[in-house]
Amino acid sequence: MEGVGMTWKNKRVLLTGHTGFKGSWLSLWLQKMGAEVCGLALEPPTAVNLYMDAQVEKNMRSVLGDIRDADLVSRTVQDFRPEVVFHLAAQPLVRASYDDPLGTYATNVMGTAHVLNAVRKTGKPCAIVVITTDKCYENREWEWAYRETDRLGGYDPYSNSKACAELVVSAYRNSFFHPAEYQKHGIALASVRAGNVIGGGDWADNRLIPDIIRAYEEGRSVRIRNPHAIRPWQHVLEPLRGYIAVAEHLLEFGSAYGEAWNFGPEQSDAQPVEWIVRELAELWGNGAKWELEGGIQPHEAQNLKLDYSKALYRMGWKPALSLKDALKMTADWYWAKGKGQEMHSFTIAQISQYESLSDKMTKTGISCQRDEREQ
């Protein structure tokens, strides 16, 4: 991916949701690049978690609290005065949103408004990246991939709350951070949408990879709810690289990149749940197996794909890993933890490994583009 040549060393970065799965990986990556990171989040959502396993907190400032607390969010932003904000804090599960729809909307919609309003009140230039989801689109169960211009919607409370968060972003951009007045306010605001992420350290309930790993470690069969549901699976580092790229472009070029961005896998890697289970069972070995869970299940989208062509053409971003490689990296992480390895170093090593792969892919792509131009 063609970068913008900036350094993250000593950049002041506020990251909401830093104790979660994605937030922990992003916190470590930003620390690795030399950023000064402050996190705002609840306690880790599960007893076993990446945040503790990889000792994420040891090289950052951590504020534990609820994103629904507007005063806490405002105080944290005022005290830290970030140059960059990554807003990841959310209620991230479809099934949990059926159990607690009001809490889901309060967190995902008003939580987003609290963050944006807190930055607005600082009066300080800032690049803001709000993380939503591929499920913010009105899902029509069609074969082709969704683009950033497709209609927002969301069938279930979680998906709909993320579409609402996108509308909050749009309203704040138009009302308070208008691109035409960027030279006055200095705030560039973008939203980013990714698919189903996988990777080491995810232990959330009702999520495919953690469910599989728990079952395999306990020597029991995995119970699968929607074996034919197709998702844009990708390793967690893939969209995180996209989020970082968006932040870099906002810092360098301002409101010109203050838009919505998709980060998804190659279309060939949008696979059904059953395919994922079979592949991971083969990687895991030890007689791993699965079975279909009975009973009536809450509605979830069956066919969902993302088109990342805008990110490719405007920022040079494209996936660096095949889905098979992503599953291998994921299995390796859980195997390492099971063997008692020191997971801070192991997780950082996986980030370095991924950086090498993505850099190599970028150089190859740039070389090919030059060759085409010279012909």
Side-chain angles (χ1 to χ4, degrees), residues 259-279:
E259 305 170 4
W261 300 89
N262 282 345
F263 296 101
E266 301 291 356
Q267 293 305 303
S268 59
D269 281 337
Q271 294 287 349
V273 167
E274 182 177 350
W275 187 94
I276 297 291
V277 177
R278 292 186 186 279
E279 287 292 319

Side-chain angles (χ1 to χ4, degrees), residues 59 62 126 136 168 179 184 309 362 364 371:
N59 292 316
S62 178
C126 188
C136 69
V168 170
K184 293 182 181 179
S309 56
T362 298
T364 302
D371 289 345

Side-chain angles (χ1 to χ4, degrees), residues 48-358:
V48 181
N49 54 81
L50 177 62
Y51 184 72
M52 299 300 293
D53 285 341
Q55 304 169 60
V56 174
E57 186 181 3
K58 71 177 185 178
N59 292 316
M60 65 179 291
R61 186 187 310 183
S62 178
V63 178
L64 295 179
D66 198 322
I67 202 74
R68 293 174 292 185
D69 184 340
D71 290 338
L72 173 64
V73 174
S74 182
R75 288 196 306 272
T76 303
V77 172
Q78 289 287 349
D79 290 346
F80 187 63
R81 302 186 72 79
E83 299 168 79
V84 182
V85 173
F86 290 101
H87 175 45
L88 283 78
Q91 191 298 96
L93 301 173
V94 171
R95 289 172 70 89
S97 76
Y98 283 107
D99 295 331
D100 184 16
L102 294 183
T104 298
Y105 280 105
T107 300
N108 295 352
V109 183
M110 289 308 300
T112 299
H114 292 162
V115 171
L116 297 182
N117 208 53
V119 175
R120 179 178 73 90
K121 290 194 297 184
T122 66
K124 184 177 183 297
C126 188
I128 311 173
V129 182
V130 175
I131 286 74
T132 64
T133 176
D134 59 334
K135 297 175 183 64
C136 69
Y137 293 108
E138 181 179 304
N139 193 300
R140 301 183 182 183
E141 302 290 357
W142 55 29
E143 290 297 322
W144 52 88
Y146 291 90
R147 295 185 176 182
E148 291 86 347
T149 52
D150 283 323
R151 183 171 178 164
L152 300 175
Y155 181 102
D156 55 86
Y158 164 73
S159 304
N160 185 262
S161 71
K162 285 298 196 174
C164 292
E166 288 280 357
L167 294 178
V168 170
V169 169
S170 178
Y172 265 78
R173 184 188 296 118
N174 292 331
S175 301
F176 308 113
F177 314 140
H178 199 284
E181 299 177 350
Y182 176 72
Q183 295 304 320
K184 293 182 181 179
H185 55 70
I187 296 176
L189 171 61
S191 61
V192 292
R193 306 159 183 174
N196 288 48
V197 294
I198 62 177
D202 188 2
W203 300 103
D205 292 330
N206 297 314
R207 192 175 281 166
L208 183 61
I209 299 300
D211 286 350
I212 293 172
I213 297 299
R214 277 190 290 265
Y216 290 174
E217 288 184 336
E218 296 167 9
R220 57 181 172 83
S221 180
V222 185
R223 297 176 65 83
I224 302 301
R225 296 184 298 271
N226 296 298
H228 305 299
I230 295 174
R231 298 285 186 272
W233 309 96
Q234 58 191 159
H235 194 276
V236 63
L237 293 176
E238 298 272 46
L240 294 185
R241 180 166 57 97
Y243 305 168
I244 291 169
V246 170
E248 291 177 349
H249 282 75
L250 293 176
L251 288 168
E252 186 72 16
F253 304 109
S255 57
Y257 285 81
E259 305 170 4
W261 300 89
N262 282 345
F263 296 101
E266 301 291 356
Q267 293 305 303
S268 59
D269 281 337
Q271 294 287 349
V273 167
E274 182 177 350
W275 187 94
I276 297 291
V277 177
R278 292 186 186 279
E279 287 292 319
L280 198 52
E282 185 175 335
L283 283 168
W284 197 265
N286 295 332
K289 55 186 183 296
W290 68 278
E291 63 186 60
L292 185 63
E293 183 173 312
I296 299 174
Q297 303 297 327
H299 175 275
E300 293 190 45
Q302 293 299 305
N303 193 24
L304 188 55
K305 301 175 184 177
L306 283 181
D307 184 325
Y308 69 83
S309 56
K310 179 174 140 180
L312 172 63
Y313 293 126
R314 293 188 55 193
M315 292 190 295
W317 183 96
K318 65 179 296 186
L321 295 171
S322 69
L323 183 51
K324 284 181 179 287
D325 289 337
L327 285 169
K328 177 66 165 55
M329 280 186 68
T330 301
D332 286 347
W333 193 98
Y334 286 106
W335 272 115
K337 176 175 168 54
K339 293 176 181 177
Q341 291 198 33
E342 196 279 296
M343 296 314 294
H344 176 83
S345 299
F346 188 90
T347 307
I348 293 292
Q350 282 207 327
I351 294 173
S352 297
Q353 175 189 356
Y354 175 78
E355 286 177 321
S356 296
L357 288 170
S358 61

Side-chain angles (χ1 to χ4, degrees), residues 20-32:
F21 171 57
K22 267 189 177 181
S24 291
W25 277 99
L26 183 55
S27 295
L28 288 174
W29 201 343
L30 291 167
Q31 292 171 28
K32 181 177 180 296

